[in-house]
Amino acid sequence: MCGIVGYIGGEQAAPVLLEGLSKLEYRGYDSAGVAVYNESGMHVVKSKGRLAVLEGILDKGEKLPGTVGIGHTRWATHGAPSDVNSHPQVSDGGLFAVVHNGIIENYMQLKEHLMRRGVEFVSDTDTEVVAQMLEHYYRGDVLAAIRQVTQRVEGSYALGIICADCPEKVFAVRKDSPLIVGLSEGQNFIASDVTAILAHTREIVRLRDREIAVLTREGAEFYDEELEPLEKPAETIEWDVAAAEKGGYEHFMMKEICEQPEALLKTISPRIKDGRIVLDDLKLTRADIEKISRVYIVACGTSYHVGAVAKYAFEKLLRMPIETDVASEFRYRDPILDDKTLVIIISQSGETADTLAALREARRQGARTLAIVNVVGSTIANEADDVLYTWAGPEIAVASTKAYSTQLAVIYLIALYMARELGTLTEQELEEYTKALEKLPELAEAALSGRETIQYFASQYFNAKDMYFIGRNVDYAASLEASLKLKEISYIHSEAYTGGELKHGPISLIEEGTLVIALCTCGRLFGKMAANIREVKARGAVVLGLCTEEFAGEMKGVADWQFCVPKVPDFMLPSMSILPLQLFAYYVASMKGCDIDKPRNLAKSVTVE
């Protein structure tokens, strides 16, 4: 969950490193640091706090000359945020500087082993163990030392390394944490994410597990874990640089909320041809689908909430048992899987540690795996039997918005595709649902158009201490994500409950002035939700009712406030209801003065368990 960048070339390294780190700060922002090599040796500068602190110390990099270096922005796992625990970590003799994303699980055993041999440690980090081990095993060959270290460490890592004995090289190696190599004439890069180097190059190579890269000014060489040379072709990133910039918006989150209609169009439109869903990238044949007896949908965080919606959609359209599980729990509960099981893995980054582990457990037990990811070439995409990309473009804000919307769209595509192959829907139903899916981008634009109403409502309640979301069926599934968005960026305590569970305990939390947001878009359950609204209002709650346009009149007589979204088939309703609730979370956080794109304690890509 940390950000890594490395550079070797003809320019001054420090400004390039700081620029790259500024694009990666969504991955961690409790400390930052750089190591740069110049003619007087290796120089490390690091500081607790946001990247701006380090930029001030270095005067935007001008105070640290040198054309080779590595940088890091940290999300703390081992050791509290502090100057000494910041990366880069340096070996006892000063030969190696290391930046690291991941967790070395056996670092204490390794640390004790080195301490018995006289090595002195200065930090509380697991990363320092890597730096110390590199020097311990170094006998004049950096690659051999890296191999020795990677054979002994357990856990996940993406490592950027420079060595005082090899000042014209940058080394990189990874396992279970993302790392790419950027290639350009006369200069080359490493980074956790394309966004860090997109201003300099579009040609990248994605390292796979245990592969090592050695960068010079002239190019890059690649080796497997046995140090055998590898041929790795570069790929060209097609993103416009502007896609990773704010584009006039105050925050990336608002930009990404507003990009959802376009993102939905890019996800859906190429996969519907002549009114028929076509998933060319999917190798699941009709025979494969007919063989499936159960589907598991496994993910974390926002992607798990996509799975919560997917359960309703799949069961309705496929009439098949569906289980949705949190990835961090999935492999520890001994799931019952076999070759008749389809496991759908959902991850924006394609690198989420718990989700990746769940994927590997599913494959170990012989299940068929299908990944829904945004990042092409990511680890989950590479390891799954099938992959469907969301094509959402870069998502920079820590709180996910367009990833949720596009993942939902892919879920609908898969469900309708499988329903056609299984014959669980009539041709008329398939046509109706496919047309509704094609209209989602246009309807999403309409759902976002009333933002002034949401902004005003937020202005009335942004100081609330608690907020509750209630809903039934898919409205409950959507309320889980709405509640998460609010608590992530506004730090307001928020919970989501099914409307029918209120009387079984949660209603005791309602008191005079408590804000309740009631999702009532599922028309066949409107009457039951109206009764739930009356129950909380009788205890003093203030209620915002969210409904489709057809129930606008009835909602006026029930809730204190209302907001309407376009009507779509029931299983697609969360694609509409989430949009004003994303806006609500954004405006509440903005009015509270929160750091919306970088909420405290959170990072974008959770690559550690």
Side-chain angles (χ1 to χ4, degrees):
M1 291 158 65
C2 303
I4 290 173
V5 64
Y7 174 78
I8 182 168
E11 298 182 26
Q12 292 299 303
V16 175
L17 297 174
L18 291 172
E19 177 196 22
L21 292 177
S22 72
K23 308 297 184 186
L24 296 177
E25 205 176 5
Y26 64 86
R27 299 180 66 90
Y29 33 89
D30 55 43
S31 60
V34 297
V36 172
Y37 193 90
N38 59 35
E39 58 187 16
S40 63
M42 190 186 301
H43 301 270
V44 176
V45 182
K46 52 189 184 175
S47 177
K48 176 185 175 181
R50 293 292 175 88
L51 181 64
V53 177
L54 182 66
E55 289 176 327
I57 293 170
L58 293 175
D59 190 19
K60 302 289 187 181
E62 297 300 321
K63 292 182 178 179
L64 187 59
T67 57
V68 180
I70 52 176
H72 188 268
T73 181
R74 184 172 185 245
W75 188 86
T77 56
H78 292 69
S82 68
D83 291 357
V84 72
N85 286 334
S86 305
H87 298 202
Q89 290 293 318
V90 180
S91 59
D92 198 13
L95 266 181
F96 288 91
V98 175
V99 291
H100 169 219
N101 174 32
I103 288 181
I104 307 301
E105 295 174 359
N106 62 335
Y107 86 103
M108 279 305 300
Q109 299 97 299
L110 297 171
K111 184 173 182 177
E112 289 167 3
H113 172 79
L114 292 171
M115 289 174 69
R116 286 194 296 269
R117 283 153 180 78
V119 176
E120 295 186 9
F121 284 78
V122 297
S123 79
D124 300 317
T125 68
D126 55 336
T127 305
E128 189 183 355
V129 169
V130 176
Q132 303 286 21
M133 288 180 69
L134 284 168
E135 183 161 323
H136 179 71
Y137 289 111
Y138 179 61
R139 299 293 183 271
D141 185 338
V142 176
L143 280 178
I146 291 173
R147 181 171 182 264
Q148 292 260 44
V149 171
T150 55
Q151 286 179 334
R152 286 164 173 77
V153 298
E154 298 171 4
S156 61
Y157 53 81
L159 301 172
I161 303 163
I162 57 175
C163 175
D165 278 1
C166 301
E168 294 299 308
K169 292 181 179 177
V170 173
F171 301 86
V173 60
R174 62 147 285 184
K175 175 184 173 288
D176 296 338
S177 289
L179 201 62
I180 62 168
V181 173
L183 304 174
S184 185
E185 188 174 349
Q187 57 182 359
N188 295 292
F189 309 79
I190 61 170
S192 299
D193 195 339
V194 172
T195 54
I197 59 174
L198 202 56
H200 301 278
T201 182
R202 295 176 179 273
E203 299 300 309
I204 71 160
V205 174
R206 298 183 190 273
L207 293 183
R208 303 191 80 164
D209 273 2
R210 300 186 186 277
E211 290 181 347
I212 303 171
V214 182
L215 280 62
T216 63
R217 300 178 206 283
E218 291 72 37
E221 296 175 347
F222 302 95
Y223 301 88
D224 66 15
E225 60 186 308
E226 300 300 326
L227 303 187
E228 293 294 324
L230 295 171
E231 292 292 329
K232 291 185 71 67
E235 63 179 271
T236 302
I237 298 299
E238 302 296 339
W239 291 348
D240 184 348
V241 176
E245 302 293 341
K246 289 182 183 176
Y249 289 90
E250 185 176 357
H251 299 99
F252 278 110
M253 185 177 179
M254 178 55 85
K255 175 176 182 278
E256 289 155 10
I257 289 172
C258 294
E259 285 176 342
Q260 287 175 108
E262 180 185 1
L264 284 168
L265 185 65
K266 289 179 178 177
T267 299
I268 297 168
S269 182
R271 290 165 167 147
I272 299 179
K273 299 176 182 177
D274 300 321
R276 185 180 177 84
I277 293 172
V278 179
L279 303 179
D280 290 329
D281 297 331
L282 203 61
K283 298 190 290 286
L284 271 176
T285 64
R286 175 173 293 183
D288 293 329
I289 295 170
E290 289 174 343
K291 181 182 174 182
I292 295 168
S293 62
R294 175 179 293 181
V295 178
Y296 283 84
I297 303 168
V298 183
C300 299
T302 286
S303 296
Y304 169 73
H305 296 156
V306 171
V309 176
K311 177 177 173 66
Y312 290 101
F314 273 63
E315 289 186 343
K316 175 182 176 64
L317 301 179
L318 304 182
R319 307 308 302 155
M320 184 184 294
I322 310 295
E323 290 196 42
T324 300
D325 209 349
V326 177
S328 56
E329 291 296 316
F330 177 74
R331 64 193 171 112
Y332 297 120
R333 68 178 182 88
D334 297 324
I336 302 169
L337 310 172
D338 56 26
D339 62 355
K340 297 180 178 63
T341 307
L342 175 64
V343 179
I344 298 178
I345 298 288
I346 311 176
S347 167
Q348 190 280 140
S349 67
E351 305 288 352
T352 311
D354 288 312
T355 310
L356 176 59
L359 165 67
R360 289 171 174 169
E361 175 63 19
R363 296 201 68 188
R364 187 187 69 80
Q365 292 196 40
R368 181 74 178 248
T369 56
L370 166 58
I372 300 173
V373 301
N374 188 35
V375 179
V376 176
S378 56
T379 304
I380 288 173
N382 287 333
E383 294 193 15
D385 297 306
D386 287 283
V387 59
L388 287 174
Y389 291 107
T390 56
W391 299 331
E395 187 178 68
I396 307 301
V398 168
S400 187
T401 52
K402 63 179 179 176
Y404 178 84
S405 293
T406 53
Q407 287 169 1
L408 279 181
V410 173
I411 284 292
Y412 305 150
L413 286 161
I414 294 169
L416 291 172
Y417 174 82
M418 291 178 65
R420 185 184 71 211
E421 298 303 304
L422 291 173
T424 53
L425 294 176
T426 66
E427 284 298 320
Q428 181 178 348
E429 287 171 325
L430 274 171
E431 181 180 357
E432 174 192 340
Y433 292 149
T434 303
K435 285 182 177 177
L437 185 54
E438 282 187 292
K439 289 189 68 178
L440 276 188
E442 172 190 338
L443 296 177
E445 193 78 62
L448 288 169
S449 63
R451 68 188 67 172
E452 294 82 5
T453 302
I454 292 293
Q455 186 174 16
Y456 179 75
F457 180 74
S459 73
Q460 304 301 299
Y461 297 101
F462 71 92
N463 278 323
K465 293 182 179 179
D466 306 279
M467 295 188 192
Y468 299 98
F469 293 78
I470 59 174
R472 290 172 180 253
N473 198 268
V474 292
D475 281 335
Y476 167 63
S479 72
L480 292 170
E481 175 61 11
S483 177
L484 175 64
K485 280 289 125 343
L486 181 70
K487 69 181 72 169
E488 276 183 313
I489 62 171
S490 74
Y491 319 138
I492 292 174
H493 170 246
S494 170
E495 301 294 343
Y497 296 107
T498 59
E501 279 295 294
L502 282 173
K503 295 182 289 293
H504 297 278
I507 202 166
S508 67
L509 298 169
I510 305 300
E511 57 188 14
E512 193 69 32
T514 301
L515 180 61
V516 174
I517 298 177
L519 282 71
C520 308
T521 65
C522 195
R524 62 194 174 91
L525 295 172
F526 184 88
K528 292 186 179 297
M529 279 301 302
N532 295 144
I533 291 172
R534 291 187 180 98
E535 287 169 353
V536 294
K537 280 181 63 64
R539 275 80 180 173
V542 176
V543 179
L544 167 66
L546 189 72
C547 64
T548 56
E549 291 147 349
E550 63 182 317
F551 286 96
E554 294 178 58
M555 183 60 79
K556 281 183 180 177
V558 180
D560 301 286
W561 303 74
Q562 69 166 6
F563 190 87
C564 297
V565 295
K567 171 68 176 170
V568 294
D570 280 4
F571 68 91
M572 296 183 191
L573 284 166
S575 292
M576 296 292 102
S577 59
I578 195 60
L579 300 174
L581 298 177
Q582 290 171 345
L583 287 169
F584 176 69
Y586 173 86
Y587 286 127
V588 167
S590 177
M591 290 166 188
K592 289 188 66 180
C594 299
D595 192 342
I596 291 173
D597 287 337
K598 300 165 189 166
R600 68 189 182 203
N601 302 333
L602 298 178
K604 182 67 175 173
S605 180
V606 185
T607 55
V608 296
E609 287 193 52

